Amino acid sequence: RVGETKSVAAARIMSDFVSQRKNDMIGVVTFSNSAMYVLPLTDSREAILAAISATAGNSLFQTNIGGGLTSAVSLFERVPDSGSRAIILISDGAGRVGAEVQQKLRDWLERYNLSLYWVVLRQPAGVDIFDPKYQDHYEEMLPSEVELYNYFKLLRTPFHAYQAEDPKSLAAAIADINQKEKKPIKYFEKIPGQDYSTHCFVTAALLMIALLTLKLIEVRSWL
């Protein structure tokens, strides 16, 4: 859309994604220079859409991806392992992640059985993380986006990266994630009604007592 910023486009497309996944629990964590815990995992569509809408504003020119990811992983700490469990990371750049945080993320993603999807909102002249020149014998310091991409590829859990240069390619990336994450969700549902089991047991006991009483007062005939 004309005049639509990257953050606004991302919020709009993520809202469409949420609307398609009626039974999912979704949480929201934002980050720039530090992570901000916005919303725990919930199935309230009103709360989720409001949280996503709040991310469409301006932010600082810093990208603390390590803090954002560790906060996102913590959302799953007490959630039963059922259905699709995934983190969708959307950023317009990448900060460098220290070795200690890298190890924590590698272990926690595996412990909580989480898939990771990274959508890079790339400027037309920005770094291309898929550029072959960064793969073989690149002599200069790798751009932070490429360094992070190489780290993600070494995770022991499922990972997939996308680059989006416009709302159309961003929508295509989110649609692909939507198709990949289709595992059945196991849940318990309370069926409305009244439990009559106690009444049935009492009735059965009274009938047994009646039968025993009839047996005791039975008169036997002499042949």
Side-chain angles (χ1 to χ4, degrees):
R1 298 182 181 181
V2 176
E4 189 176 43
T5 65
K6 289 185 293 183
S7 60
V8 171
R12 174 175 58 82
I13 292 169
M14 286 302 297
S15 295
D16 293 340
F17 171 78
V18 168
S19 299
Q20 295 177 44
R21 302 186 68 94
K22 301 293 184 182
N23 297 317
D24 284 6
M25 295 179 66
I26 296 176
V28 178
V29 172
T30 63
F31 58 92
S32 54
N33 62 325
S34 61
M36 181 179 295
Y37 184 85
V38 178
L39 186 71
L41 290 173
T42 176
D43 58 2
S44 170
R45 288 299 172 271
E46 183 179 356
I48 296 168
L49 293 174
I52 292 175
S53 178
T55 67
N58 296 325
S59 62
L60 300 177
F61 293 102
Q62 298 183 46
T63 309
N64 185 359
I65 282 184
L69 282 175
T70 52
S71 297
V73 172
S74 69
L75 298 179
F76 294 87
E77 190 173 2
R78 293 180 177 83
V79 177
D81 187 352
S82 174
S84 296
R85 294 165 62 87
I87 293 174
I88 301 175
L89 169 64
I90 300 180
S91 69
D92 59 358
R96 302 191 185 274
V97 179
E100 183 178 353
V101 176
Q102 287 186 16
Q103 186 60 47
K104 284 182 179 180
L105 284 173
R106 187 180 292 112
D107 293 342
W108 291 355
L109 287 169
E110 184 177 28
R111 181 187 309 170
Y112 297 123
N113 191 26
L114 299 172
S115 301
L116 175 62
Y117 297 94
W118 184 25
V119 182
V120 184
L121 305 179
R122 179 174 174 263
Q123 297 285 3
V127 174
D128 181 358
I129 62 173
F130 302 125
D131 193 329
K133 74 178 182 182
Y134 296 122
Q135 305 303 320
D136 300 317
H137 309 294
Y138 189 73
E139 297 181 355
E140 301 177 21
M141 177 179 285
L142 287 172
S144 57
E145 294 91 340
V146 177
E147 184 178 290
L148 187 64
Y149 175 56
N150 290 339
Y151 159 66
F152 284 155
K153 289 192 295 184
L154 297 177
L155 295 173
R156 298 186 290 263
T157 47
F159 164 72
H160 196 89
Y162 305 86
Q163 284 188 154
E165 299 181 1
D166 51 46
K168 184 177 179 180
S169 56
L170 175 57
I174 298 300
D176 188 62
I177 297 172
N178 189 34
Q179 289 300 315
K180 283 182 167 62
E181 296 297 330
K182 293 289 188 180
K183 296 177 184 177
I185 301 173
K186 298 178 181 178
Y187 62 93
F188 293 98
E189 182 179 3
K190 291 185 178 181
I191 300 175
Q194 185 172 351
D195 184 6
Y196 290 99
S197 59
T198 302
H199 299 78
C200 293
F201 288 134
V202 171
T203 303
L206 292 174
L207 290 173
M208 289 176 63
I209 293 172
L211 287 173
L212 289 173
T213 303
L214 291 173
K215 183 67 175 178
L216 292 174
I217 64 175
E218 179 184 18
V219 176
R220 298 185 179 182
S221 62
W222 292 85
L223 299 176

